[in-house]
Amino acid sequence: MKKYLLKNRIMMLLFIVAVPLSCYFSIKFALSFEPIINSAIDKNFNMLKIAAMWFSIYAILDCIFLLIVKYIRENILKETYINIKKDLFSKIIKMNIETFNEDNTGSYISILDNDVKLLGDSYFSSVLSIYSVIMSFIFSFVTVSLLNYIITILLIIVAICSIIIPKFLNKKLANLQDKYSESMKKYTSQIKDFFEGFQVIKSFNVQDKVIRSHNQYNEIREQSGCDSRKTVYLAGWISMLFSSIMYVITYIAGGYFAIIGAMSVGLVISLSQLIGGVVAPLEQLPSILAEIHSTLKIRNKLQEIITMKSVEEKGRVLDKLPSEISMKNISFSYNNSDIKAISDISLNFKEYKKYAIVGESGSGKSTIAKLLLNFYKCNSGEIKFDDVEISKIDSSYLYKSIGYIHQNIFIFDDTLKNNITLYNDYKDEDIMKVIELSGLSEFVKRLSNGIYTNIGENGNTCSGGERQKIGIARALICRSKFLILDEATSSLDNITASQITNSVLSLKDTSSIVITHQLNYNLLSKCDYIYVMKNGRIIEEGKLDQLIDNKLYFYNLYNVNEKYNGV
């Protein structure tokens, strides 16, 4: 993690130079107390004027360099936060879907927000502080040693105790910080779920239960934070206790040496100022080290994400888009369960052909789409694009080959244009063409700024059907060789759904794979081949008329569907 502090080398170099200069002028400012006090005691006005001039100069320089160090430090921390968040977000967004789904999305939000903040406050900031306090200690300690070695020896004895004793708290503090990080993660995940499920909470009248659940997670989070902060303070308090002892020693010993004439009263005052440079680092260092140690588990967690090899980092980009996609003897179960989502599936999709995969809900149809997109790895069998196995293909090539339209369309808080193009460059005429094909024309006419209108968070200005059409337009504009419609029109009325499906199936340069449990004659009659699924297996396949003539499972399913739709 230290590499993130060193990325901005110019700022780090300035920090390394500025801190000793700041320490030097702090020492000079502390020593300038002696001539001020001595001239006052001696009632020497001329000496006082000269002493006051240097006192003022060193005071101003001390303040200026403290400000410079602070500004440089904040710039280093800013760049550090930016760079670590860049790497974390990049790694998270490049995870394959199977890996991403192993955790709640709220956990990733917590990592980027809570954990990075914890790391910044307790690690990055502390690493910079260590350098500052060490420089301050060296300058102050050397100066005090040169002025009076006996006081220095006494201070060393107390200093050793102030460093050793707080170390016993390190393990406890690390566990408390880890517990605090975990409680923040759970709290963020719960809040995200509650807000995303706001309509469900209201419609089922479970607000009180949700409030109780929130209060419970909130209390756990704040209690763990409180425990962590109290332990950090305890480590600091112990150091502060020894610091007070150092001040007592300095004043008593200094008073003694002033009485016997070994040093002036002014020098005692200067020593009391210098002792701050010795005491403060010793007071701060144990708690700083404890905070750094407490972030070990968080650092390891973030380091694991940052060093994780992304799926996108491997794979081939083929010279041309595939002319055929095949699945051979594919079996798959979610989370390595004993229950197979699909078993021994073999399918073949050729360019420019139209296919349908039909069956009841839960028969495994959508799982096939997810495997074709490499969202999950199959347990056995192989998927090939032409003659290349899917695991050897770069994901960018894969997603260019296959467009995917599914039921749950996510809408960004942005313009309609950006939601369709997903920030890629397309000509306006191409955008308007897919708007026509997807049935969005009337919707665009109602928007105040046309395709440049912001459509709100998750499309809150759109109906469910309009969101679905945006998803269809989004897939069409990519001009993929193969296009999967995974129950894509299920939220649309029959007329609109039929119009959109017909538009998609009429695309001459695109192979369409329609996944549906709604058996519509107009749709299925346009398909070159139909696969029929039940309980994760292909039990029938062929053209529509052939499947009807067979009078098997599909025939019964088809008749039930016709009666249900009033045909």
Side-chain angles (χ1 to χ4, degrees):
M1 287 292 168
K2 289 178 184 176
K3 68 177 183 179
Y4 287 101
L5 285 173
L6 301 174
K7 278 194 173 184
N8 194 332
R9 294 181 180 178
I10 295 175
M11 279 294 169
M12 278 302 298
L13 183 61
L14 288 173
F15 184 75
I16 290 169
V17 173
V19 167
L21 284 173
S22 177
C23 294
Y24 171 77
F25 287 116
S26 291
I27 295 296
K28 295 297 288 184
F29 175 59
L31 290 174
S32 64
F33 275 87
E34 181 185 6
I36 289 280
I37 300 299
N38 289 341
S39 61
I41 292 172
D42 295 339
K43 298 181 180 180
N44 188 330
F45 187 72
N46 290 329
M47 181 181 172
L48 180 63
K49 286 193 294 184
I50 296 171
M53 179 188 71
W54 285 109
F55 183 85
S56 301
I57 290 171
Y58 288 131
I60 292 169
L61 288 172
D62 183 30
C63 291
I64 289 173
F65 272 89
L66 283 172
L67 183 65
I68 290 171
V69 169
K70 177 65 175 176
Y71 271 56
I72 295 171
R73 177 192 178 96
E74 289 304 318
N75 275 306
I76 292 171
L77 290 174
K78 177 200 72 175
E79 292 298 321
T80 300
Y81 291 156
I82 288 171
N83 287 324
I84 193 170
K85 284 187 177 183
K86 277 182 181 178
D87 287 351
L88 283 168
F89 185 79
S90 176
K91 288 293 184 178
I92 291 170
I93 212 71
K94 286 183 178 181
M95 288 178 178
N96 61 42
I97 289 183
E98 186 173 13
T99 303
F100 182 85
N101 287 340
E102 288 175 0
D103 217 335
N104 187 290
T105 52
S107 300
Y108 299 117
I109 296 171
S110 181
I111 286 169
L112 286 166
D113 189 8
N114 299 328
D115 285 353
V116 171
K117 186 178 186 306
L118 271 176
L119 205 62
D121 293 342
S122 299
Y123 180 73
F124 293 123
S125 183
S126 296
V127 170
L128 294 176
S129 295
I130 282 179
Y131 176 69
S132 296
V133 299
I134 288 175
M135 286 293 104
S136 176
F137 178 78
I138 290 173
F139 275 78
S140 301
F141 188 76
V142 169
T143 305
V144 172
S145 300
L146 292 173
L147 293 174
N148 192 295
Y149 73 91
I150 295 176
I151 292 178
T152 303
I153 292 170
L154 293 173
L155 293 179
I156 289 174
I157 295 170
V158 179
I160 292 171
C161 295
S162 74
I163 292 173
I164 292 175
I165 292 176
K167 279 185 174 291
F168 295 107
L169 296 172
N170 283 355
K171 186 176 180 181
K172 180 181 179 182
L173 187 55
N175 290 331
L176 287 172
Q177 285 279 48
D178 185 54
K179 184 179 177 182
Y180 185 36
S181 171
E182 188 64 25
S183 67
M184 285 195 294
K185 179 177 113 175
K186 289 180 179 178
Y187 180 77
T188 303
S189 297
Q190 283 294 316
I191 292 298
K192 174 184 169 295
D193 287 345
F194 292 154
F195 287 157
E196 287 187 349
F198 186 79
Q199 291 184 8
V200 175
I201 291 168
K202 298 298 287 185
S203 59
F204 284 87
N205 196 29
V206 291
Q207 300 98 310
D208 291 341
K209 291 182 179 179
V210 167
I211 289 169
R212 285 196 297 271
S213 180
H214 164 268
N215 292 345
Q216 181 182 358
Y217 279 98
N218 182 38
E219 186 173 336
I220 292 171
R221 170 185 161 154
E222 295 308 324
Q223 183 61 52
S224 61
C226 179
D227 292 341
S228 177
R229 290 190 296 271
K230 284 192 292 189
T231 306
V232 169
Y233 179 78
L234 178 61
W237 179 86
I238 293 171
S239 299
M240 185 173 63
L241 175 65
F242 284 104
S243 298
S244 299
I245 294 172
M246 289 182 185
Y247 275 110
V248 171
I249 289 172
T250 302
Y251 277 111
I252 292 174
Y256 169 76
F257 287 120
I259 290 171
I260 65 174
M263 62 173 62
S264 66
V265 174
L267 186 57
V268 174
I269 300 299
S270 286
L271 268 176
S272 69
Q273 295 298 312
L274 285 171
I275 204 64
V278 178
V279 169
L282 293 174
E283 179 183 315
Q284 296 165 10
L285 193 60
S287 58
I288 290 172
L289 292 174
E291 286 205 59
I292 289 175
H293 184 78
S294 73
T295 64
L296 181 61
K297 291 182 179 179
I298 296 173
R299 277 183 279 147
N300 289 340
K301 177 171 67 175
L302 300 193
Q303 188 67 31
E304 187 177 339
I305 294 173
I306 289 168
T307 56
M308 179 177 59
K309 192 171 184 181
S310 301
V311 174
E312 273 78 354
E313 292 173 357
K314 59 183 179 180
R316 293 168 52 190
V317 176
L318 306 183
D319 295 333
K320 62 183 182 66
L321 295 178
S323 58
E324 183 178 5
I325 300 175
S326 61
M327 305 179 76
K328 186 177 180 182
N329 305 127
I330 297 295
S331 293
F332 172 77
S333 59
Y334 290 98
N335 299 320
N336 295 316
S337 165
D338 293 334
I339 303 171
K340 296 286 185 184
I342 58 173
S343 301
D344 198 29
I345 293 287
S346 293
L347 305 171
N348 199 55
F349 306 106
K350 294 184 178 181
E351 61 181 349
Y352 314 133
K353 298 291 184 180
K354 315 300 177 184
Y355 299 88
I357 302 175
V358 302
E360 295 179 286
S361 297
S363 60
K365 305 184 299 298
S366 294
T367 300
I368 289 175
K370 292 170 184 175
L371 292 174
L372 285 172
L373 289 157
N374 207 28
F375 289 173
Y376 299 94
K377 306 292 183 185
C378 52
N379 302 135
S380 61
E382 61 181 13
I383 302 173
K384 286 187 175 182
F385 282 54
D386 289 335
D387 296 322
V388 183
E389 216 282 323
I390 192 171
S391 62
K392 298 178 181 178
I393 295 174
D394 188 83
S395 60
S396 61
Y397 172 86
L398 178 66
Y399 299 139
K400 187 176 180 181
S401 302
I402 302 180
Y404 183 43
I405 311 170
H406 52 95
Q407 288 175 286
N408 302 316
I409 303 298
F410 180 80
I411 304 296
F412 294 94
D413 187 5
D414 209 326
T415 64
L416 175 62
K417 177 184 177 180
N418 287 337
N419 268 288
I420 292 174
T421 64
L422 295 180
Y423 309 100
N424 290 309
D425 291 326
Y426 293 100
K427 295 178 180 178
D428 280 0
E429 52 262 38
D430 293 331
I431 298 171
M432 297 312 297
K433 184 177 179 180
V434 297
I435 283 174
E436 183 69 30
L437 283 171
S438 59
L440 278 168
S441 299
E442 291 301 318
F443 175 63
V444 173
K445 289 176 184 178
R446 297 198 305 270
L447 297 176
S448 57
N449 293 315
I451 61 174
Y452 298 99
T453 305
N454 189 299
I455 53 177
E457 182 183 0
N458 203 21
N460 56 24
T461 62
C462 312
S463 67
E466 285 160 350
R467 283 197 294 269
Q468 200 68 33
K469 292 174 185 178
I470 291 170
I472 293 169
R474 186 183 287 171
L476 290 176
I477 203 167
C478 296
R479 296 179 180 175
S480 303
K481 191 72 172 286
F482 291 82
L483 190 61
I484 300 175
L485 285 81
D486 186 2
E487 304 285 8
T489 59
S490 60
S491 62
L492 305 178
D493 62 85
N494 290 336
I495 294 174
T496 305
S498 178
Q499 289 173 345
I500 292 172
T501 305
N502 286 335
S503 296
V504 171
L505 291 174
S506 66
L507 297 172
K508 294 180 180 179
D509 297 330
T510 303
S511 296
S512 302
I513 304 169
V514 180
I515 295 174
T516 181
H517 66 276
Q518 296 177 347
L519 307 184
N520 180 284
Y521 180 84
N522 290 329
L523 185 157
L524 298 178
S525 62
K526 291 180 174 62
C527 294
D528 297 295
Y529 207 75
I530 301 169
Y531 292 102
V532 185
M533 294 193 69
K534 182 181 181 181
N535 298 329
R537 294 180 180 274
I538 301 292
I539 60 170
E540 288 184 77
E541 56 184 274
K543 293 189 174 183
L544 176 60
D545 292 338
Q546 178 188 348
L547 292 171
I548 292 174
D549 290 342
N550 289 341
K551 294 188 177 181
L552 298 173
Y553 176 76
F554 174 83
Y555 175 77
N556 293 325
L557 201 64
Y558 179 73
N559 283 337
V560 169
N561 191 80
E562 281 191 326
K563 290 177 181 178
Y564 177 79
N565 288 291
V567 178

